[in-house]
Amino acid sequence: MAEDEDHYRKHGEPRKYDPSFKGPIQNRGCTDIICCIIFVVAIVGYVAVGILAWSQGDPRKVIYPTDSEGQFCGQVGTPLENKPYLFYYNILKCASPMVLVAFQCPTTQICVEECPSTSITLMTAYSNAEKWKSYTKFCKKDIAGKPPQQILKDQLCPGMLIASKPFTRRCFPALGVKENNIFTVGNQTTFVDDESKNRKASDLLPAVGNATIVSEARLVVVKIFEDYTQSWHWIILGLVIAMVLSLIFVVLLRFLAGVMVWVMIVLVIVVLGYGIIHCSVVYSNLKNEEKSNITLKELGFQMDLKVYFKIRQTWLAFIIILAIVELVVIVLLIFIRNRIRIAIALIAEASRAIGHVMSSLFYPLFTFVLLAVVIAYWAITAVFLSTSNEAVYKVFNEGKQECIHENKTCFPGNYSESDDKKDCPESQCLFTFYGGETPYHKYLIFLQFYNIFLFFWCANFVTALGQMTLAGAFASYYWAFNKSKDMPDCPVFASLGRALRYHTGSLAFGSLLLAIVQVIRVQLEYLDHKLKGAENKFAKFVLCCLKCCFWCLEKFIKFLNRNAYIMVAIYGKNFCTSARDAFFLLMRNVIRVAVLDKVTDFLLFLGKLLIVGIVGIISFFFFSGRTQRLDFVPNLHYYWVPILTIVVGSYFIAHGFFSVYAMCVDTLFLCFLEDLERNDGSNEKPYLMPESLLNILNKSNKGKK
């Protein structure tokens, strides 16, 4: 008895019986007003940052390639509308390490209508009127009457043209490979450079390699975009199937909770087992395939992701991952088998609660719309902020003589008459990147940080609003003695109104704590990315410990917030008081929390896993062509693009439906714990929990109902 008293003293006093308590308190006041004011001011500031970014930014800098004067190639409504391709005067200059530092080739770049189809020097073209007419399309301005020497000196035209093809709106040499790995450009093994020297086509490889580092990634993005345009309607169909399966699952849980849970457990084990068998068969079939035994380390990063599915080690990794998941699921089921009955009773009660509050199933759509608005606002603001810099021009020296002004900021308008040009006659003032030195540009990084921080805060606020709304609705169900008469007419809307009217400050407070931790985690991930090449093992160890600690802290705050919102929804107290009451209530029942509440979470997770697995297997067989080929199956670059999209989308859809169940279970669980503390089953203080839970816990209502 003394130990029990000491336990309660440590974790607060249990609640006493209150005959007037019938669920969420109606007579309540505003909570955490200061945090509410701060949140409103922060939102106003966020809108101001967005307006500022939209007035200064220009997304065209991302879409269109930019010439040496900072103009956009192919932009509609400009003189360059019909010149969509960027042409490099001397592509060999792109072999310079400066390309990887400044992300810009130190050579003149202009916008052209088409890429050159043949290789020719300026001197050769000048001697032929027809060829010269075609050649002048790649010159900067009118050169009528000027000798070739003057043209080259003033860098009005390129010294040579190389047969090229457009790639990501840029003209790159049309390189090919003959037998014995001999490289060609325009079907020729050699070309003449601007100094009239014969060069091998292979000399262009370093320049093209540097210039296409980003372009190759863009090509993959283009292919993925094309796959989406070919398969978007099938993706939507797959997501609709996931939604229908989730809805069917929820409806079946309403009437067959016990059967459905055990069927779900068996099916999850079967689906994982099938995945292991399928991967093992593919792994075995690749045994005699050529080059299938190379390792992932030897293969390195490849833009064509199909290559990875042709080596055995990839499928071996899949086998190991699925086997580990299968083993973990089976071991956990063995250990929690005795608690599954109570979890099933809770899920069955949650199904009955959702049956009385059917509108709760559609509330995740409202949360999804709000989150989509938050994400879209953050993404658009981030793009406009990142493109709100001004064009920066720097001096590039193409001559052999050293230039003291190299990399110095310049202005192209008057550079030809500047002292820098006189000191370095062979230098040019070229566009380098977008930046700026105004106060706005100096504090741009802080605006980006503010954008990220408010994104986390607003996203967490939307999630918290959904949790508190559902908690209030389900608490109304539990504490209603007569479910058909004592519940409000629209419990979800009534709970949403209470949350917004009285508890915006509490929602902002909890989401602020979570946002701070998440921003710190983002910064730690950034530091980890920067320290990947570092040799300091102690720094890596400290960083790893910090990442682990803040990950645990984030999980704890999410757990505490969730239960605090339930208590706020029921009693209408401020965030800190509600968090303390919820924490002490859980600590007074720590055994039940550890082995009961988490069991239901695990079972609901298996439900999500089952839906994702079924939809994923169907989409895999459809898009990969493993079944009999059908005429209406789209021809894709990467068949995993729609599969991955459907799998991720199915998870979020299933999560949307099951998050309602999870919130219902958590709310009923807290109410269930309070019910055990408030009541004793007598005629004056009867338990409000269902008979199924009373029987499992060996409790009963002694008096008449």
Side-chain angles (χ1 to χ4, degrees):
M1 183 70 86
E3 287 181 4
D4 289 342
E5 288 179 2
D6 184 58
H7 178 74
Y8 283 130
R9 203 178 299 118
K10 267 202 244 176
H11 301 119
E13 291 292 330
R15 293 190 185 273
K16 305 299 182 184
Y17 173 71
D18 180 3
S20 65
F21 179 75
K22 294 183 179 179
I25 295 172
Q26 302 299 320
N27 187 17
R28 59 180 72 197
C30 296
T31 56
D32 298 300
I33 298 173
I34 294 176
C35 200
C36 178
I37 294 171
I38 294 173
F39 182 64
V40 172
V41 171
I43 292 294
V44 172
Y46 197 22
V47 173
V49 169
I51 293 172
L52 181 62
W54 299 338
S55 64
Q56 299 288 329
D58 190 353
R60 295 174 302 175
K61 297 171 184 176
V62 178
I63 301 171
Y64 301 103
T66 311
D67 67 8
S68 296
E69 296 181 2
Q71 301 177 98
F72 303 117
C73 299
Q75 183 188 347
V76 179
T78 68
L80 299 178
E81 180 178 356
N82 297 321
K83 296 183 177 182
Y85 305 116
L86 187 69
F87 172 74
Y88 298 90
Y89 264 31
N90 189 350
I91 190 68
L92 293 170
K93 297 286 184 181
C94 294
S96 167
M98 179 63 67
V99 176
L100 302 178
V101 177
F103 297 101
Q104 188 73 1
C105 289
T107 184
T108 303
Q109 298 161 43
I110 63 170
C111 301
V112 295
E113 293 180 10
E114 58 183 2
C115 298
S117 57
T118 57
S119 300
I120 189 172
T121 63
L122 183 142
M123 299 302 293
T124 304
Y126 193 79
S127 60
N128 186 300
E130 186 176 345
K131 292 180 178 179
W132 181 243
K133 184 179 179 181
S134 300
Y135 197 97
T136 54
K137 294 178 181 178
F138 304 95
C139 298
K140 284 199 288 188
K141 52 184 79 171
D142 186 22
I143 53 172
K146 293 185 179 180
Q149 294 81 4
Q150 185 66 35
I151 293 172
L152 289 173
K153 182 180 179 182
D154 296 338
Q155 297 181 346
L156 301 175
C157 294
M160 62 175 175
L161 296 181
I162 297 175
S164 305
K165 289 183 179 179
F167 181 67
T168 63
R169 294 194 175 192
R170 289 161 176 82
C171 295
F172 289 126
L175 291 173
V177 182
K178 285 187 175 182
E179 294 181 2
N180 301 322
N181 290 328
I182 297 175
F183 288 92
T184 63
V185 56
N187 295 323
Q188 301 295 321
T189 56
T190 61
F191 67 96
V192 180
D193 65 12
D194 54 352
E195 296 179 357
S196 298
K197 294 180 181 178
N198 277 324
R199 303 282 293 269
K200 293 181 179 179
S202 57
D203 292 343
L204 292 166
L205 287 175
V208 174
N210 278 347
T212 57
I213 286 175
V214 179
S215 299
E216 287 186 4
R218 289 183 178 176
L219 181 62
V220 172
V221 173
V222 169
K223 286 184 177 180
I224 290 174
F225 179 76
E226 289 176 353
D227 286 345
Y228 277 125
T229 60
Q230 293 288 325
S231 61
W232 65 269
H233 46 290
W234 295 111
I235 292 173
I236 292 175
L237 179 61
L239 297 179
V240 169
I241 291 173
M243 186 173 67
V244 171
L245 284 176
S246 299
L247 192 58
I248 292 173
F249 204 89
V250 168
V251 172
L252 289 176
L253 277 177
R254 170 74 177 85
F255 302 101
L256 304 167
V259 175
M260 285 301 298
V261 168
W262 287 111
V263 168
M264 175 183 67
I265 290 171
V266 172
L267 284 178
V268 166
I269 295 173
V270 169
V271 169
L272 288 172
Y274 171 77
I276 295 170
I277 294 171
H278 177 78
C279 294
S280 300
V281 170
V282 177
Y283 177 77
S284 178
N285 292 339
L286 288 173
K287 183 177 181 180
N288 299 320
E289 292 289 332
E290 188 180 357
K291 296 182 180 180
S292 64
N293 291 313
I294 63 173
T295 64
L296 291 170
K297 186 176 181 180
E298 292 172 343
L299 184 63
F301 177 72
Q302 301 292 327
M303 289 295 179
D304 186 1
L305 300 181
K306 291 180 182 177
V307 175
Y308 293 105
F309 295 102
K310 295 179 180 178
I311 62 174
R312 302 183 76 206
Q313 198 175 79
T314 301
W315 294 99
L316 180 62
F318 289 157
I319 294 170
I320 294 171
I321 292 169
L322 290 173
I324 291 173
V325 173
E326 178 96 317
L327 181 64
V328 169
V329 169
I330 292 173
V331 170
L332 283 174
L333 288 171
I334 291 172
F335 279 101
I336 65 174
R337 64 188 185 280
N338 293 327
R339 291 289 172 177
I340 289 179
R341 286 176 60 233
I342 305 178
I344 289 173
L346 260 181
I347 291 175
E349 185 62 15
S351 298
R352 282 189 284 273
I354 292 173
H356 281 82
V357 192
M358 284 300 292
S359 56
S360 62
L361 284 176
F362 302 98
Y363 186 84
L365 295 176
F366 177 65
T367 301
F368 174 78
V369 170
L370 290 181
L371 282 175
V373 171
V374 171
I375 293 170
Y377 185 87
W378 163 77
I380 293 170
T381 303
V383 169
F384 275 87
L385 282 174
S386 61
T387 58
S388 59
N389 294 306
E390 298 173 346
V392 174
Y393 302 87
K394 290 194 174 183
V395 176
F396 285 94
N397 183 38
E398 295 191 358
K400 296 179 180 179
Q401 184 180 356
E402 186 177 349
C403 177
I404 60 174
H405 303 296
E406 193 164 8
N407 291 327
K408 179 181 175 183
T409 303
C410 59
F411 300 97
N414 60 354
Y415 184 72
S416 58
E417 300 174 359
S418 66
D419 294 334
D420 295 351
K421 180 68 173 178
K422 293 175 183 176
D423 294 338
C424 306
E426 297 183 357
S427 65
Q428 292 187 81
C429 182
L430 301 179
F431 166 78
T432 307
F433 60 88
Y434 288 101
E437 299 179 355
T438 64
Y440 169 77
H441 296 106
K442 287 180 180 179
Y443 293 105
L444 197 56
I445 185 66
F446 296 104
L447 296 179
Q448 287 280 24
F449 177 81
Y450 188 77
N451 184 34
I452 293 173
F453 180 74
L454 261 292
F455 163 70
F456 281 118
W457 196 357
C458 293
N460 290 326
F461 180 87
V462 170
T463 304
L465 177 62
Q467 291 173 347
M468 188 178 290
T469 299
L470 293 175
F474 294 131
S476 300
Y477 164 83
Y478 187 93
W479 294 109
F481 195 82
N482 189 320
K483 308 300 183 188
S484 58
K485 294 181 179 179
D486 295 343
M487 283 185 64
D489 294 331
C490 300
V492 172
F493 289 105
S495 181
L496 176 62
R498 286 195 302 270
L500 289 174
R501 182 178 178 183
Y502 298 111
H503 307 303
T504 299
S506 298
L507 293 169
F509 191 8
S511 53
L512 174 63
L513 295 177
L514 190 55
I516 291 171
V517 175
Q518 288 172 334
V519 167
I520 293 173
R521 287 195 64 204
V522 169
Q523 291 175 329
L524 289 175
E525 290 293 339
Y526 175 76
L527 285 175
D528 185 40
H529 176 72
K530 288 293 183 182
L531 289 174
K532 273 188 176 177
E535 300 293 333
N536 192 332
K537 296 188 181 296
F538 178 74
K540 288 183 177 180
F541 172 75
V542 172
L543 188 62
C544 184
C545 292
L546 287 173
K547 286 170 62 179
C548 180
C549 291
F550 277 96
W551 180 85
C552 295
L553 180 61
E554 182 184 356
K555 295 300 178 185
F556 175 74
I557 291 177
K558 281 184 176 180
F559 173 77
L560 190 64
N561 282 5
R562 189 180 181 91
N563 290 285
Y565 297 143
I566 295 172
M567 300 302 274
V568 172
I570 297 173
Y571 296 105
K573 296 181 180 179
N574 63 48
F575 178 82
C576 292
T577 302
S578 300
R580 182 198 63 196
D581 292 345
F583 182 73
F584 283 165
L585 176 62
L586 294 172
M587 289 302 295
R588 291 196 297 270
N589 299 271
V590 67
I591 302 299
R592 287 192 178 101
V593 173
V595 299
L596 180 57
D597 188 40
K598 295 301 121 186
V599 171
T600 56
D601 287 345
F602 176 67
L603 293 178
L604 292 176
F605 172 74
L606 290 184
K608 295 183 219 174
L609 204 62
L610 176 62
I611 290 169
V612 171
I614 292 173
V615 177
I617 289 172
I618 294 172
S619 59
F620 173 77
F621 277 101
F622 180 77
F623 289 107
S624 65
R626 301 297 168 122
T627 55
Q628 186 177 0
R629 193 70 180 176
L630 302 173
D631 294 337
F632 49 77
V633 176
N635 187 19
L636 306 172
H637 298 290
Y638 308 120
Y639 68 80
W640 54 264
V641 170
I643 295 174
L644 190 61
T645 305
I646 290 172
V647 166
V648 173
S650 299
Y651 177 81
F652 282 112
I653 289 172
H655 178 73
F657 280 95
F658 282 92
S659 65
V660 175
Y661 256 93
M663 198 65 212
C664 184
V665 167
D666 287 348
T667 303
L668 296 181
F669 183 67
L670 278 186
C671 295
F672 157 74
L673 296 179
E674 292 231 339
D675 194 6
L676 288 175
E677 291 187 349
R678 284 177 177 274
N679 305 310
D680 58 9
S682 64
N683 193 36
E684 295 79 17
K685 298 187 287 184
Y687 293 118
L688 295 179
M689 68 184 73
E691 289 293 331
S692 55
L693 271 176
L694 285 172
N695 294 334
I696 292 172
L697 295 171
N698 294 322
K699 303 278 185 181
S700 63
N701 282 320
K702 302 178 182 64
K704 293 182 180 179
K705 288 189 178 181

